Amino acid sequence: MLYEFSNHNKHGNIRTRIVSWPKGKAFGINPKGFGNFIAVRVFKYEYHHEINPPSLANIGGKRYILPTWQEVLPETELSDIKWIKPKPKVKQEPIVEISASSSDPNKTYKTVYYPESGKFHCNCPGRWRAFDGKCKHIKALEKKVK
Ligand SMILES: [Zn+2]
């Protein structure tokens, strides 16, 4: 088991270190000599990978988590590692709005916002007339999504 042990040093600053303690034995220290502040909590190394589980290897007298090459205490076991899987990115679907033309009620325009690129598109003629390439549909949709 690994523990994160903190205490105040003689300057009053918090000093933190990771210590290993035999499994099944309650963590105990002699509080004398550690100042007026001591904090102990179970410590786990954080390992970030989407697919591969962590493994441990001793190389050149040091112990590493693979495949991330994170150096750890020599006593580290797999149970001392917390595997954090990043959340897979959710594909963001385009937002589509259909609006009727004000001059011709039989005509509709399609305005699309692509969240992944942040781009807008509209097939109305106003888009070509607007100096900034933004017709009123794009401007309205912009207000909605931002
Ligand atoms: Zn438009």
Side-chain angles (χ1 to χ4, degrees):
M1 286 286 279
L2 298 178
Y3 290 90
E4 186 186 80
F5 176 80
S6 310
N7 72 294
H8 272 157
N9 67 9
K10 61 182 175 188
H11 305 293
N13 302 318
I14 291 178
R15 187 172 172 253
T16 300
R17 77 214 92 155
I18 309 304
V19 292
S20 94
W21 198 262
K23 232 182 223 160
K25 210 174 152 195
F27 186 78
I29 45 129
N30 180 359
K32 269 183 191 167
F34 284 113
N36 57 3
F37 170 81
I38 298 167
V40 176
R41 65 180 184 99
V42 172
F43 177 79
K44 287 194 192 294
Y45 286 106
E46 288 190 355
Y47 166 85
H48 297 256
H49 203 287
E50 245 170 273
I51 309 147
N52 298 331
S55 60
L56 286 160
N58 289 319
I59 294 151
K62 287 178 174 175
R63 199 157 168 83
Y64 296 94
I65 301 175
L66 296 182
T68 53
W69 289 99
Q70 186 185 352
E71 192 185 333
V72 295
L73 278 188
E75 298 89 350
T76 304
E77 293 169 38
L78 282 175
S79 59
D80 298 319
I81 300 168
K82 193 171 152 193
W83 183 5
I84 296 167
K85 289 184 195 179
K87 282 190 191 117
K89 273 194 191 138
V90 181
K91 191 173 162 21
Q92 288 183 288
E93 296 298 332
I95 297 165
V96 180
E97 281 222 329
I98 307 291
S99 38
S101 160
S102 46
S103 55
D104 182 354
N106 296 321
K107 253 190 193 165
T108 56
Y109 300 126
K110 192 176 159 192
T111 319
V112 190
Y113 171 60
Y114 302 92
E116 284 180 356
S117 61
K119 284 187 177 148
F120 290 86
H121 184 264
C122 186
N123 65 351
C124 78
R127 180 175 150 80
W128 309 110
R129 285 202 293 266
F131 69 97
D132 56 356
K134 286 177 187 172
C135 61
K136 59 177 179 183
H137 309 115
I138 289 179
K139 281 176 184 159
L141 188 56
E142 224 173 24
K143 269 187 202 147
K144 266 190 212 171
V145 298
K146 289 192 172 159

